[in-house]
Amino acid sequence: MFDDKYDVVVIGAGHAGIEAAAVVKRMGKKVCLFTFDLDTIGLTPCNPAVGGPGKGHLVFEIDAMGGVMGELVHRSYTQIRVLMTSRGNTARVLRAQIDKKMYQLEARKILEEMGVDVKQDEVVEIVIEKGRVKGVKTALGKLYSCEKVILTAGTYLDAEIVLGFKKWRAGPSNHMASYALTKRLLKHGVEVTRFQTATPMRVDGRTIDFQLMKPLMPDVGITSFKFGKKVDKIRQVPSYLTYTTKETVEVIKQHLSTSPIVIGNIAEAGPRFCPSIDRKVINFPEKPDHQIFVEPEGFNTVEWYLQGLTTSMPPYVQHKILESIPSLKRARITRYGYAIEYNVFPPFKQLKPTLEHINVKGLYFAGQINGTSGYEEAAAQGLIAGINAALSLDGGKELVLSRSSSYIGVLIDDITTKSFTEPYRLYTSRVEYRMILRASTAYFRLTPIAYRLGVVDRKFYEEVERLRKEIQRTVELLKLKKIAPTKKVNEKLKEVGSTALSKKVSLAEILKRPEFNYSLLKRLFPEYVPELSSPDAEFEVETEIKYEAYIKRQLSRVWKREKFEKFEVPEGFDWNLLRGKISAEALDELIRTSPSSGKEIARLARVSEEDLVFLYQFFRDKKFRLRILGMKAEEL
Amino acid sequence: MDTIVAPATPTGGAIAIVRVSGEDAFHIVESSFKVNLAVKDGKWNATLKKLKIGDEVLDECIVLTMPAPKSYTGENMVEIHSHGSSFIVRKIVDTLIKHGARAAQPGEFTKRAVLNGKMSILQAEAINWLIRSENSKGWEIAKKQLEGEFEAVIRKLRKGIIDLASDMVADLDFSDQVELSMDYFEKKARYVLGVLEKIVKSLERSVVIFNETKVVIAGRPNAGKSSLMNSLLGRDRVIVSDIEGTTRDFVSETVNIGGFRIRLVDTAGIRLNASDEVEREGIRKAYREIEGATVLLLVVDLERGFGDYEKNVLLSANGEIIIVLNKSDRVDDSRISEVMESVTTWVKNEELDCGRVNFAITVAKDGIIHEVVDKLKTILKGILDVEIPVVPQERYLALFKDAHKRAQEVVDAVRNGMLDAASFLLEEIVRDLEFVLGKVDVEEVLDEVFSKFCIGK
C-alpha cells in the first residue's frame, strides 16, 4: 500500500527543514525531505543576511549542536562583521551577508553529502489515524509511510502575495505554494491563524550611485559562524548605508491611499520590528531620514537588496520612492517589494516544548509556520524538532532546553508558553540570563548535550572541551597569580594610564580594570600571562573575569527561578478558588489565560515572583493547599 | 472566600464594634442572631436590631451592612455596634463562628482589601502606621502615603526605569538602527539613581520619626546634666545633688519636643579615672549611648571650661551636637566667649564638621534652657524633614538600599562602556523591587521601544 517507508518525513526544505532532515539523518534515522523545487533548497527570500543580536547567538548555538547553518554561512558569506564592539564583551555578536544562490547550492550539497533523501513533490496530506501520524500523501499520488512528520512549510501554506491593489495566490518570490495541506490538517484538532510579512524591492547595482553612500566594511581574521573556521579576507564585499529624504516621506504621504495597510487588503498581524516604509511614515511622520542598508544579493548577480524600504505599495509608487533618494534616483528595479500572507499554527496551547503537537502524536511543527520570523529562529526550531522526532522513535527522553541553557531554549519556551499577535523575533532582551548565555559560550553549553545525543562526533566534542579547559585554567591562573606593588610594576601601569598598585593584587584584579583587556595584560606581564590558542579564547577569559560578579549573581537567580516553575496545574482547575489569596490582578490574568504549568504562569505579565512562589507551594504541597482552601482532604 | 470575624475596638469602651467580612457575611449574621438585614444592592444600610441568641435577646445593636464591592475589604461586610461589654463582644464573635465565620488573623481585613484591589500594599502599610502614629509628623507621613504620594514617586521611578530599559533594548537589540551615546545613558541612569537615593534617605529618616529619636546628655560629673534633664522633662525625675557621681545608672524618659517623639537619656557622669568596676562598666555604657545618639547634648561647666574630658566625648559622637554652656549665671560673658572660642578652635583643628556643632547657653538648675530647646527643634526638623512621605519598613529599606547600590553599579557599568552589564543590573533592580513597582514584563519594555524609536528593516 505504501510506496516507501521512512522513519521521518520533513515537509519543506527551508532553514527549519534543512536542519531537521540533517539532524535526523545524523542520529541514524531514515529521513525524506520534500520540497516543491530541488533548486531552491535553503531559499532566503528576504534579506541576504544571517546573524546580528539574538540571531547570531542562535547560529552559534545551532553550530554547537551539530546543525548546518553555521557551516552554510561560512561557505557562502560575502562579508562578516563584528557588531556591538563598544557595548561590553557579552553584547558582541557577528552578522554575515550571504550569497543567496551559493547558500542554496551548498545547502543542497550538504544534504546530498550526508545522504538525506530529498524529493521534489508536494505533500498534500498528512495521514493521521487515531491521533497518530501514519504517513504522507503527495500531489503525484504517492503514499509514504512514516512515524514522524516534521512540518516546516514556512510561509507557503495558503500563501497570498499582496502588491498594491493586486492580490494573488503564490509563495515567496512567486514560487509554488501549498493550498491543500492546511485544510486537511484542521480536521485533526490543529488550529490556524494568519500572519503577514513583507520584503523590499531589489535593484540593479549598476544603476546605484555608491559614491553617495557610506560603505560598511567587513572584518577580517575573526572566527566565523563555524567552529574553528576563520573569516578570510579575499572574497568579502562591503554593504552600504544610505537614507531616505524629506521628499521620500512626501511621496509616501501622497500615495498612502494605495498602501495595502491603508486599503486593508492585508492581514493585520505583521512584524513590528520589520515595518514597511509606509508604516514608518504613518507612525513617525516627522522623521525624514530612515536608514536604508544596501546589501549585495550575491557574487554572481547585479541585484542588490534595499533593507529598510520594505513595502507592498504599487510598482509606480515604488519607482517614485527610489526617485526621491539621490543615491537610488536612477536605480532600476529588478523585483518589486511585496507582502505575503500565510498560515500560522500558534504553538501556545498547541505544541509541547518538544514541538510535537498535543493532539497528533508524531507531528512536529518548526519554523515560520509557528509564527516566528527569521531564518535563524526557523533553523533552531527545525534542529530541536528533528532531534526530538529521532529521540522519540527510540522511545527515549526528549530534549527540552531550558531558558537558562540557551537562546534556543528561550525561543521555544516563549512560543510555547505565551501567545503572540505578531511574528516572533528573538530579541536579546527576551533572554533574561544573557550574562551566562553569551555567544562565546554556546559550544561549552550545548556541545556536551549534543554529544550525549549522538548528534556531534567525539572529535568535535573533544576540541570544544580542550578549549573550555584552556579558558578555565587561564582564569584560575590569573586569579591566583599575585603582583606586588613594585616600582617597576607601577611604572608599567602608569605608562598605560592605569593607577598604581598600593598592595599585592591578582592579575585578575588588574584585568578587571576598565582600561585593561587580555592583550594589554599579556603585554605588561608576559612572564605570567600566557598566549592562548586563539583570540577568542583570550576574549572569553577576559569576559569571565570582568563579568564574574554578574555571572555569579545570574547563576543564583537561575537556580531560584527554575525551582519555582516546576509545577503543573490540574486540568480544569477553578482559579476562582484562589480569590482573595493572591492579587486580583494576577487572578484575572490566570483566569483569562488558564495556564497549565508553572512555566506558563511565570511568563504572565501580571503574576509576580511572590505569586509564583505561592502557587508553587499551593500546587506542590497538599497540606498547604488544604489549609489555604480551608478544606478537609476528602472535600478536594 | 470564607467569612472572617473580629472585634475592631479594644475592650473597655462604651461601644464595641465587631466586623464581619466575606461572601456569606450577611447570611451568617442573619442566621446567627435571627435578624433580617434587608441588604440593599450597592448601598450601605444601618439599622437598629435586637440580636437574639436562641430566644434570648443579647443586645440591641446598630447593624451596618456594606455590600461588595463598596466596603473596606471589597467583600460583603457587616459591622455590629454593640454595647462595650467584653462579654457581649465575646458572645457575638463566638456565635458568628458557630454559624460558619472564622476568627480573622491579625491584619486579615486589610490584606483582603489589598488582594481585592481596594487599596495598594503601600496604602495598607500606611494605614498600619497611621494607627500607630504618635506625633504630628508621623501622622502626616502616613496620611500622605495613604493618599498616594509615595506611590506617585514609585510610578515616577518605574517610568524612569522603563524609559532607560527601553533605550538600552533599542541600542542593544537594534544596534544598526539606534545608537545612543554613553553620556545619554549615564544621564538617564543617574536620574534613576537620584530617585532611589531620595527614597532611601526618606525611609531612613522615617525610621527615626516613627521610632524614637535618641537625645543623649553627657558631661563631667556635676556639670548639670540631671538639672538639664529635669528641665527638659519639666519635673524632678533625677536626684540632683552637689556630690559628684550622683547619677550612676542611666535615666531614660520619653518626651515630646516640637512634635517629635524623643527618648532622652542621661548618662552617668563620666570620670576619667573611675575607681571601681561598676563605675567603669557604667562609663563603657555611657560611651555606647554617646555613639548612638541622634543628638548629643554635651553639658560643659563654664567654671571648669572645655578640657580633655569634653574632647573625648566629642570624638565619640556620630550625630549632631549641642554644646550646652551651663552655669552662665556664675561667670562673666568674656568667660563664655573664651570657652566658645576654645571649642571652635579645637573643632577646626580636629577637622570635625563645624556644621554639626551648636552652642546653647543655660542655667539648667533654674530651668533657663530655652536655647537648648530651640536648637534641638531646629536640628530635629532638619533631620526629620523627609522629602518623600513614606512609612518606615525595614524590608523596604533593605530592598531599596540594595536597589540603590545596584543603580550606582549601573552608572559605573555605563561609564566603563559595559552597557550589557548595565542592562542586566537594571533588570535586577526591577525584579528586586517587583513588590512595589509591579512586574515589568519584557513586552511592556518592547512596546516602549517601538513607540519611541522608528525601528525596522
Side-chain angles (χ1 to χ4, degrees):
Chain A
M1 163 187 171
F2 289 106
D3 290 284
D4 209 341
K5 196 172 169 340
Y6 286 100
D7 294 321
V8 179
V9 160
V10 179
I11 304 169
H15 306 281
I18 292 169
E19 296 294 353
V23 80
V24 168
K25 183 71 195 177
R26 279 217 169 114
M27 291 172 81
K29 306 297 173 198
K30 204 176 167 210
V31 58
C32 186
L33 173 63
F34 282 90
T35 174
F36 279 117
D37 185 353
L38 270 174
D39 294 326
T40 58
I41 289 176
L43 188 72
T44 44
C46 202
N47 61 341
V50 176
K55 291 164 175 284
H57 290 80
L58 284 176
V59 183
F60 280 118
E61 290 184 354
I62 292 165
D63 193 49
M65 295 197 75
V68 297
M69 187 172 234
E71 174 72 33
L72 292 176
V73 171
H74 183 70
R75 291 190 193 177
S76 63
Y77 69 85
T78 60
Q79 67 150 276
I80 294 188
R81 296 175 64 208
V82 187
L83 306 180
M84 319 277 286
T85 48
S86 64
R87 292 296 186 252
N89 285 17
T90 77
R92 256 170 85 148
V93 71
L94 293 189
R95 175 151 62 213
Q97 299 289 332
I98 51 158
D99 179 313
K100 289 185 169 182
K101 213 67 218 175
M102 197 183 284
Y103 192 95
Q104 290 165 36
L105 291 171
E106 293 296 343
R108 180 169 166 183
K109 198 160 98 193
I110 232 171
L111 292 171
E112 288 170 353
E113 283 165 5
M114 291 175 78
V116 172
D117 277 6
V118 187
K119 264 195 177 54
Q120 182 167 305
D121 195 355
E122 180 192 354
V123 172
V124 290
E125 184 178 355
I126 298 167
V127 183
I128 298 164
E129 280 171 22
K130 293 182 183 142
R132 185 181 279 271
V133 166
K134 289 288 169 200
V136 296
K137 255 186 220 163
T138 72
L140 300 176
K142 294 264 186 191
L143 192 58
Y144 298 91
S145 129
C146 63
E147 268 188 59
K148 311 284 171 192
V149 165
I150 304 174
L151 186 59
T152 55
T155 57
Y156 287 74
L157 299 183
D158 297 338
E160 286 180 292
I161 284 185
V162 180
L163 210 180
F165 298 100
K166 300 194 174 66
K167 188 166 186 173
W168 68 92
R169 285 174 139 205
S173 270
N174 269 333
H175 285 98
M176 269 178 83
S178 161
Y179 302 93
L181 194 63
T182 307
K183 210 165 46 205
R184 289 175 180 151
L185 253 184
L186 296 186
K187 286 186 291 195
H188 300 282
V190 172
E191 282 182 33
V192 73
T193 185
R194 206 106 169 116
F195 275 5
Q196 62 105 340
T197 189
T199 193
M201 61 292 265
R202 318 294 199 267
V203 296
D204 183 336
R206 292 166 300 191
T207 58
I208 296 175
D209 195 344
F210 287 110
Q211 300 295 324
L212 297 176
M213 298 179 176
K214 182 185 161 200
L216 302 168
M217 301 312 285
D219 288 300
V220 288
I222 51 173
T223 302
S224 174
F225 276 120
K226 177 70 197 156
F227 185 79
K229 298 259 176 76
K230 288 261 175 295
V231 173
D232 57 21
K233 50 179 100 171
I234 310 158
R235 43 178 234 171
Q236 298 202 70
V237 285
S239 49
Y240 294 85
L241 176 60
T242 190
Y243 293 90
T244 60
T245 62
K246 256 191 274 177
E247 288 71 47
T248 316
V249 173
E250 280 315 306
V251 165
I252 291 166
K253 280 183 183 165
Q254 275 166 29
H255 295 88
L256 263 186
S257 59
T258 68
S259 163
I261 318 170
V262 177
I263 301 168
N265 59 350
I266 195 161
E268 286 284 315
R272 273 189 305 181
F273 48 84
C274 222
S276 59
I277 187 72
D278 20 333
R279 167 67 68 197
K280 289 185 209 176
V281 169
I282 293 172
N283 290 354
F284 294 88
E286 304 304 322
K287 185 179 164 70
D289 54 335
H290 298 278
Q291 288 176 321
I292 305 167
F293 289 93
V294 183
E295 303 167 343
E297 290 261 315
F299 290 116
N300 300 311
T301 171
V302 296
E303 266 193 308
W304 286 69
Y305 179 91
L306 303 180
Q307 193 211 94
L309 280 186
T310 294
T311 189
S312 53
M313 290 170 94
Y316 79 95
V317 182
Q318 297 194 22
H319 285 294
K320 281 184 192 285
I321 291 172
L322 291 186
E323 280 163 20
S324 71
I325 302 160
S327 54
L328 295 167
K329 206 183 198 121
R330 297 181 305 111
R332 195 177 61 79
I333 294 178
T334 52
R335 305 177 204 211
Y336 292 97
Y338 63 89
I340 187 163
E341 259 183 48
Y342 54 98
N343 287 345
V344 160
F345 306 93
F348 180 54
K349 300 231 175 260
Q350 186 155 222
L351 296 189
K352 299 178 193 171
T354 57
L355 298 179
E356 188 180 18
H357 199 277
I358 52 167
N359 294 332
V360 186
K361 198 161 165 37
L363 178 60
Y364 296 77
F365 290 70
Q368 232 164 333
I369 53 162
N370 281 347
T372 61
S373 118
Y375 314 138
E376 303 86 345
E377 281 91 340
Q381 293 168 62
L383 180 72
I384 298 301
I387 288 173
N388 281 328
L391 284 174
S392 106
L393 279 169
D394 298 334
K397 194 170 178 290
E398 291 168 283
L399 178 69
V400 177
L401 293 173
S402 69
R403 293 182 79 85
S404 60
S405 75
S406 55
Y407 276 57
I408 301 178
V410 173
L411 162 67
I412 293 177
D413 184 85
D414 270 351
I415 60 174
T416 54
T417 60
K418 270 161 80 166
S419 88
F420 292 91
T421 52
E422 62 169 345
Y424 173 96
R425 175 173 157 187
L426 182 61
Y427 309 108
T428 62
S429 43
R430 295 193 190 281
V431 182
E432 57 272 58
Y433 305 126
R434 53 188 181 273
M435 289 287 113
I436 312 171
L437 307 184
R438 309 183 294 280
S440 52
T441 60
Y443 298 96
F444 311 137
R445 290 183 275 117
L446 298 174
T447 304
I449 296 173
Y451 177 63
R452 272 204 305 282
L453 296 174
V455 182
V456 300
D457 59 25
R458 189 177 183 88
K459 189 170 158 279
F460 177 41
Y461 169 67
E462 280 173 353
E463 270 179 60
V464 169
E465 277 301 287
R466 193 193 47 70
L467 181 64
R468 190 179 63 78
K469 283 182 186 147
E470 180 187 17
I471 290 164
Q472 198 184 346
R473 222 175 25 240
T474 314
V475 168
E476 277 161 21
L477 174 96
L478 296 187
K479 280 184 180 171
L480 284 175
K481 182 67 210 165
K482 296 266 201 301
I483 299 293
T486 61
K487 211 174 147 203
K488 208 178 127 205
V489 164
N490 279 338
E491 264 168 21
K492 276 196 211 171
L493 286 171
K494 204 177 149 200
E495 262 172 51
V496 298
S498 199
T499 46
L501 299 181
S502 57
K503 58 175 199 285
K504 256 189 165 183
V505 298
S506 68
L507 283 166
E509 284 305 314
I510 298 175
L511 183 55
K512 275 183 187 168
R513 296 179 170 194
E515 63 273 18
F516 264 87
N517 59 24
Y518 193 89
S519 46
L520 181 60
L521 196 73
K522 203 166 58 180
R523 186 155 70 78
L524 256 55
F525 305 100
E527 62 276 37
Y528 309 121
V529 183
E531 170 104 25
L532 300 186
S533 62
S534 69
D536 296 341
E538 295 184 355
F539 181 76
E540 182 53 21
V541 168
E542 181 188 310
T543 308
E544 284 201 10
I545 286 175
K546 278 183 186 284
Y547 287 74
E548 188 187 12
Y550 310 125
I551 292 168
K552 270 194 189 147
R553 225 143 61 199
Q554 190 133 72
L555 282 170
S556 70
R557 172 88 58 179
V558 169
W559 177 84
K560 186 183 163 206
R561 187 79 197 196
E562 295 203 331
K563 174 181 170 191
F564 290 117
E565 284 179 19
K566 281 194 188 119
F567 65 88
E568 300 297 321
V569 179
E571 210 171 309
F573 176 75
D574 180 9
W575 288 101
N576 281 304
L577 287 171
L578 292 179
R579 190 165 293 287
K581 308 296 181 191
I582 58 172
S583 74
E585 204 187 30
L587 193 67
D588 281 351
E589 200 178 20
L590 290 166
I591 290 171
R592 194 159 41 75
T593 57
S594 68
S596 60
S597 69
K599 270 168 81 175
E600 281 177 33
I601 292 170
R603 312 292 173 266
L604 295 175
R606 306 272 162 240
V607 178
S608 69
E609 215 160 81
E610 208 169 324
D611 294 329
L612 183 71
V613 173
F614 172 86
L615 293 170
Y616 168 82
Q617 241 187 322
F618 182 84
F619 287 111
R620 293 278 298 233
D621 180 349
K622 194 173 170 188
K623 270 190 195 149
F624 180 80
R625 186 159 64 240
L626 293 172
R627 187 157 59 74
I628 288 295
L629 296 176
M631 285 181 179
K632 293 184 190 73
E634 57 272 21
E635 289 176 74
L636 198 69
Chain B
M1 204 60 202
D2 57 352
T3 300
I4 51 173
V5 57
T9 46
T11 49
I15 305 285
I17 301 173
V18 171
R19 284 200 295 189
V20 191
S21 177
E23 211 176 318
D24 292 334
F26 302 139
H27 175 72
I28 288 174
V29 172
E30 284 179 332
S31 64
S32 294
F33 305 112
K34 303 194 175 54
V35 287
N36 181 3
L37 295 177
V39 179
K40 291 172 197 157
D41 256 3
K43 285 219 176 81
W44 289 14
N45 187 26
T47 47
L48 195 63
K49 297 274 183 207
K50 287 196 173 85
L51 301 192
K52 281 188 200 164
I53 296 176
D55 292 330
E56 200 174 351
V57 173
L58 175 69
D59 192 14
E60 198 167 19
C61 302
I62 294 171
V63 179
L64 176 60
T65 53
M66 294 167 276
K70 280 181 151 183
S71 70
Y72 180 74
T73 58
E75 301 169 338
N76 287 334
M77 274 189 84
V78 182
E79 273 184 23
I80 300 169
H81 300 231
S82 70
H83 291 100
S85 138
S86 63
F87 170 75
I88 294 175
V89 171
R90 206 167 57 236
K91 263 300 196 204
I92 290 174
V93 172
D94 287 351
T95 311
L96 287 166
I97 289 173
K98 222 175 275 167
H99 284 82
R102 168 172 70 73
Q105 284 156 5
E108 202 173 358
F109 286 92
T110 304
K111 186 180 166 200
R112 288 190 174 192
V114 173
L115 289 171
N116 290 324
K118 293 295 284 188
M119 64 175 78
S120 69
I121 191 116
L122 293 173
Q123 284 173 317
E125 268 151 14
I127 286 182
N128 184 20
W129 282 97
L130 191 67
I131 296 164
R132 288 160 67 176
S133 65
E134 292 188 1
N135 57 40
S136 64
K137 194 75 198 171
W139 163 77
E140 188 189 325
I141 288 173
K143 192 183 62 138
K144 279 186 175 167
Q145 178 164 329
L146 183 60
E147 287 166 358
E149 269 193 40
F150 183 52
E151 268 162 287
V153 175
I154 293 294
R155 273 198 301 276
K156 220 168 88 178
L157 176 67
R158 190 176 197 279
K159 201 161 165 275
I161 288 176
I162 289 180
D163 185 36
L164 176 58
S166 59
D167 284 345
M168 287 179 175
V169 169
D171 186 279
L172 290 170
D173 264 323
F174 303 93
S175 61
D176 51 349
Q177 300 166 61
V178 180
E179 207 179 334
L180 302 163
S181 75
M182 284 298 181
D183 286 348
Y184 172 89
F185 281 116
E186 192 183 332
K187 209 179 103 204
K188 288 208 167 171
R190 282 199 185 282
Y191 171 78
V192 171
L193 179 70
V195 177
L196 283 168
E197 194 168 295
K198 274 186 205 162
I199 292 174
V200 168
K201 236 183 219 156
S202 299
L203 271 165
E204 277 172 345
R205 287 185 172 179
S206 180
V207 171
V208 176
I209 293 170
F210 279 88
N211 299 318
E212 293 158 321
T213 311
K214 195 153 74 173
V215 176
V216 175
I217 305 176
R220 266 186 230 247
N222 214 23
K225 298 187 298 295
S226 301
S227 300
L228 178 63
M229 175 97 173
N230 287 340
S231 299
L232 284 169
L233 291 173
R235 60 196 144 102
D236 288 346
R237 168 70 174 74
V238 187
I239 306 152
V240 185
S241 83
D242 285 337
I243 307 159
E244 277 192 10
T246 312
T247 319
R248 278 273 173 96
D249 287 323
F250 302 158
V251 177
S252 159
E253 287 278 341
T254 302
V255 60
N256 192 311
I257 293 179
F260 301 110
R261 193 172 146 89
I262 286 166
R263 192 159 70 84
L264 201 56
V265 180
D266 182 8
T267 60
I270 304 169
R271 278 186 297 194
L272 284 178
N273 313 305
S275 52
D276 60 76
E277 183 50 39
V278 178
E279 197 168 351
R280 275 200 294 274
E281 177 54 29
I283 290 167
R284 275 194 290 275
K285 269 201 219 158
Y287 272 108
R288 274 201 294 277
E289 289 291 328
I290 289 164
E291 283 162 16
T294 315
V295 184
L296 172 73
L297 306 180
L298 174 62
V299 185
V300 177
D301 183 340
L302 278 167
E303 285 181 317
R304 294 202 205 172
F306 181 71
D308 286 348
Y309 176 89
E310 282 78 12
K311 288 171 190 168
N312 277 336
V313 172
L314 283 187
L315 288 173
S316 307
N318 295 308
E320 302 284 321
I321 296 162
I322 301 175
I323 311 266
V324 182
L325 301 170
N326 198 26
K327 305 185 186 175
S328 61
D329 55 333
R330 298 205 198 164
V331 297
D332 196 62
D333 277 8
S334 63
R335 173 66 179 166
I336 299 178
S337 303
E338 190 189 313
V339 175
M340 277 168 89
E341 188 63 39
S342 64
V343 175
T344 314
T345 315
W346 179 82
V347 165
K348 261 189 204 145
N349 285 342
E350 289 293 321
E351 294 181 347
L352 294 184
D353 177 8
C354 297
R356 278 172 55 207
V357 181
N358 303 271
F359 291 100
I361 299 161
T362 58
V363 187
K365 74 170 167 46
D366 299 337
I368 304 173
I369 57 156
H370 60 272
E371 285 195 15
V372 176
V373 175
D374 290 348
K375 288 267 155 63
L376 204 51
K377 277 187 190 166
T378 315
I379 290 172
L380 289 174
K381 198 165 172 299
I383 295 177
L384 304 181
D385 195 20
V386 291
E387 202 163 344
I388 300 163
V390 56
V391 298
Q393 273 283 350
E394 293 297 334
R395 184 167 87 121
Y396 283 22
L397 185 57
L399 285 165
F400 274 106
K401 267 188 173 166
D402 263 3
H404 178 257
K405 210 171 105 198
R406 295 262 177 286
Q408 184 59 57
E409 287 177 43
V410 171
V411 172
D412 294 343
V414 169
R415 289 173 66 98
N416 291 335
M418 291 156 90
L419 195 65
D420 51 353
S423 89
F424 159 71
L425 289 163
L426 193 67
E427 280 179 19
E428 289 269 288
I429 294 176
V430 166
R431 263 188 279 264
D432 288 345
L433 294 182
E434 192 177 273
F435 72 105
V436 282
L437 292 179
K439 189 165 176 176
V440 178
D441 192 62
V442 62
E443 300 302 331
E444 186 178 351
V445 176
L446 288 169
D447 284 347
E448 182 73 11
V449 171
F450 289 114
S451 71
K452 274 203 299 203
F453 302 99
C454 183
I455 282 166
K457 298 185 206 167

